[in-house]
Amino acid sequence: MLTENQSTRILHILDHSLPLHSGYAFRSHSILQAQRKRGWQPFALTSPKHEENWKVPGESDEEIDGFHYYRTGAVASLSIPFASELRVMKILARRTRELATRERPHVLHAHSSVLNALPAIWVGRSLSLPVVYEIRAFWEDAAVDHGTYRQGSWKYKMTRLLETLACRQAREVVVICQGLKYDLTSRGIPAHKISVVFNGINPDEFHACEPDAEYLRSWNLQGKTVVGFIGSFYRYEGLAMLVEVMSRLVVKNPDVVLLLVGGGEVEQELKKKISDHNLEEKVILPGRVPHERIPGVYALIDILVYPRYSMRLTELVTPLKPLEAMAMGKALVASDIGGHRELIQDGRNGFLFPAGNPLALAELLERLIENPALCRQVGAQGRAWVSQQHSWDRTTLVYNDVYARIREKFGGELKNENQLVSTP
């Protein structure tokens, strides 16, 4: 098995990575850490999208926490439809081939989006290297939420077709949840080819701890009941609805405050809505905080809320943040979309309310604010569940089987210490 070969080298091809802070980047780094613990030698290459998001000139080879992160470099965008994407893929393929030729990985492991998968497949075919394609979300659905194009448009259908093609051509496919697997099988991708590597948490990083004393003072949270959200401010997160619910909560509960930690595309809209409802003293928007201080921020919050709206993206994909809240022993409230139902059992490790229903959310929050014992009980149950089921060490065990199947298909022998035997 590949797991028994201490020299097994895996090149992960990513959209972006640390030092950018995102769920995508943290999942990627956690995967590298878990694989290194098993004796493998993972390293990573980021696409030009990393520079596009980071907007800071960087080195072509960066070391983070002992891992090599190779960079592709920035690429100028073009106005012709799909011209920029094609350029990104060509340049990424060139960089992948250069790196694979020099570093000699056994496996090319491409992660969302399809802009990473297709270059990996081209290079894998050229160098006789197997390709794993790992899908975090479907690119076409994310584009719909961002307003890039409409669901059902020709661009949407084209992108969906490319995603399906990449899954057919990759040796193995990995997804982060059952919703994505069911969707791919409906497209004709064989179920035996698809493995689920769920999101996870690092128990050494996320566990019950003392509140961050500095933030407690500066945000004036002493003696308050804190309802909170930590994450990116995307429209589908439903934060505008949460602000509206807050205007109702404070009528009966004057000591309640809403803490929204993070930032993103709807930040200005949220500020306007807060002003419109005269909630400047009740809603705190501190912006993003350093990652190492996030556990101390969770410890400040009594109830975490994830009011995502129902859309194709949220119905299919499971988020990471609710797992962090559980690991911290916090009560969490979430909309009953498909991505949340995979993680949350109502009344056992969290609470669910009908998606898009502000009245139901307000009533649930009022009940929990009045019953802190129930919050502590469900928070403790959530912590036990996530520790048993969703540590990164446990969820990433699936890669053992993924890479073992590759070894079996390639004859079980290594060629010249670095290449697998036959052509995929």
Side-chain angles (χ1 to χ4, degrees):
M1 291 175 60
L2 279 169
T3 55
E4 298 171 350
N5 184 352
Q6 298 299 303
S7 65
T8 299
R9 296 174 61 78
I10 305 153
L11 173 55
H12 291 272
I13 302 165
L14 307 169
D15 179 89
H16 65 278
S17 76
L18 298 177
L20 277 165
H21 283 194
S22 71
Y24 185 105
F26 293 129
R27 175 183 168 95
S28 300
H29 198 70
S30 296
I31 288 170
L32 298 185
Q33 290 174 317
Q35 292 189 342
R36 182 166 63 182
K37 285 170 104 174
R38 295 196 171 92
W40 300 334
Q41 296 181 29
F43 57 109
L45 168 67
T46 55
S47 83
K49 295 290 185 179
H50 177 82
E51 283 78 10
E52 180 180 315
N53 289 305
W54 185 228
K55 296 180 173 59
V56 176
E59 302 295 331
S60 61
D61 176 5
E62 187 172 0
E63 185 172 308
I64 301 174
D65 193 24
F67 293 100
H68 278 294
Y69 281 90
Y70 295 92
R71 309 302 185 190
T72 302
V75 175
S77 61
L78 302 172
S79 58
I80 303 172
F82 285 112
S84 291
E85 290 82 357
L86 183 59
R87 174 185 279 184
V88 164
M89 287 192 291
K90 284 183 176 180
I91 292 174
L92 180 57
R94 186 183 311 135
R95 178 68 167 140
T96 303
R97 182 183 179 86
E98 169 196 319
L99 193 57
T101 301
R102 187 176 79 232
E103 300 294 338
R104 295 187 172 184
H106 300 100
V107 180
L108 300 180
H109 191 137
H111 300 251
S112 295
S113 72
V114 72
L115 296 184
N116 301 331
L118 292 178
I121 290 167
W122 300 338
V123 174
R125 185 180 298 126
S126 169
L127 299 181
S128 296
L129 287 169
V131 175
V132 176
Y133 180 28
E134 180 161 326
I135 300 175
R136 319 272 183 96
F138 293 126
W139 185 34
E140 64 270 24
D141 294 327
V144 169
D145 177 69
H146 297 154
T148 307
Y149 43 77
R150 292 178 295 102
Q151 186 171 335
S153 66
W154 71 269
K155 287 184 179 180
Y156 181 93
K157 292 177 181 177
M158 177 62 71
T159 307
R160 179 181 170 87
L161 180 64
L162 290 175
E163 287 275 15
T164 306
L165 178 65
C167 290
R168 292 187 186 282
Q169 295 192 356
R171 178 64 65 181
E172 293 280 335
V173 177
V174 173
V175 294
I176 69 169
C177 57
Q178 294 292 347
L180 293 175
K181 180 173 182 176
Y182 295 149
D183 187 87
L184 289 177
T185 56
S186 73
R187 304 187 196 188
I189 307 301
H192 64 80
K193 184 179 179 177
I194 308 170
S195 300
V196 182
V197 176
F198 294 105
N199 274 323
I201 53 95
N202 181 352
D204 294 332
E205 182 179 5
F206 291 98
H207 55 80
C209 66
E210 291 298 315
D212 189 298
E214 180 186 348
Y215 290 151
L216 179 66
R217 290 191 301 272
S218 62
W219 297 342
N220 193 27
L221 300 179
Q222 298 95 330
K224 305 292 178 59
T225 298
V226 183
V227 176
F229 171 92
I230 301 174
S232 297
F233 295 177
Y234 294 120
R235 185 162 280 103
Y236 61 74
E237 294 291 2
L239 300 181
M241 182 179 70
L242 183 54
V243 170
E244 292 180 6
V245 167
M246 188 64 189
S247 66
R248 168 174 171 157
L249 289 180
V250 296
V251 174
K252 294 183 180 179
N253 304 275
D255 290 332
V256 172
V257 296
L258 176 61
L259 176 62
L260 302 177
V261 179
E265 61 186 29
V266 298
E267 187 169 349
Q268 295 306 313
E269 295 177 27
L270 286 176
K271 289 179 178 179
K272 183 177 186 306
K273 185 168 286 290
I274 291 166
S275 176
D276 290 344
H277 286 278
N278 298 314
L279 291 172
E280 290 89 346
E281 300 299 318
K282 296 295 184 179
V283 182
I284 302 162
L285 284 170
R288 301 183 188 275
V289 303
H291 180 68
E292 63 272 12
R293 297 182 71 172
I294 289 295
V297 175
Y298 272 116
L300 294 167
I301 300 171
D302 297 293
I303 304 169
L304 274 297
V305 186
Y306 305 95
R308 285 187 164 189
Y309 294 126
S310 175
M311 57 181 294
R312 181 176 156 80
L313 176 69
T314 59
E315 292 290 345
L316 291 180
V317 178
T318 56
L320 177 61
K321 293 301 181 183
L323 297 178
E324 294 179 357
M326 289 184 204
M328 296 297 302
K330 295 297 178 177
L332 67 93
V333 170
S335 54
D336 63 351
I337 53 171
H340 286 153
R341 290 197 307 272
E342 276 199 45
L343 302 176
I344 301 167
Q345 303 161 30
D346 188 30
R348 298 185 63 185
N349 60 358
F351 301 92
L352 296 173
F353 73 94
N357 188 328
L359 180 59
L361 174 57
E363 290 175 349
L364 177 55
L365 286 174
E366 286 175 348
R367 178 164 69 93
L368 295 177
I369 290 168
E370 294 170 359
N371 195 342
L374 178 61
C375 291
R376 288 192 295 270
Q377 175 190 336
V378 173
Q381 291 169 180
R383 180 170 60 235
W385 179 83
V386 78
S387 298
Q388 294 168 4
Q389 302 295 327
H390 277 270
S391 69
W392 283 117
D393 285 345
R394 180 180 177 88
T395 62
T396 57
L397 277 172
V398 178
Y399 292 125
N400 290 0
D401 298 329
V402 173
Y403 297 150
R405 284 195 297 272
I406 288 174
R407 170 58 65 87
E408 291 170 3
K409 292 174 183 177
F410 276 71
E413 297 293 336
L414 290 178
K415 181 179 179 182
N416 295 331
E417 298 183 2
N418 290 296
Q419 283 185 303
L420 293 169
V421 175
S422 52
T423 304

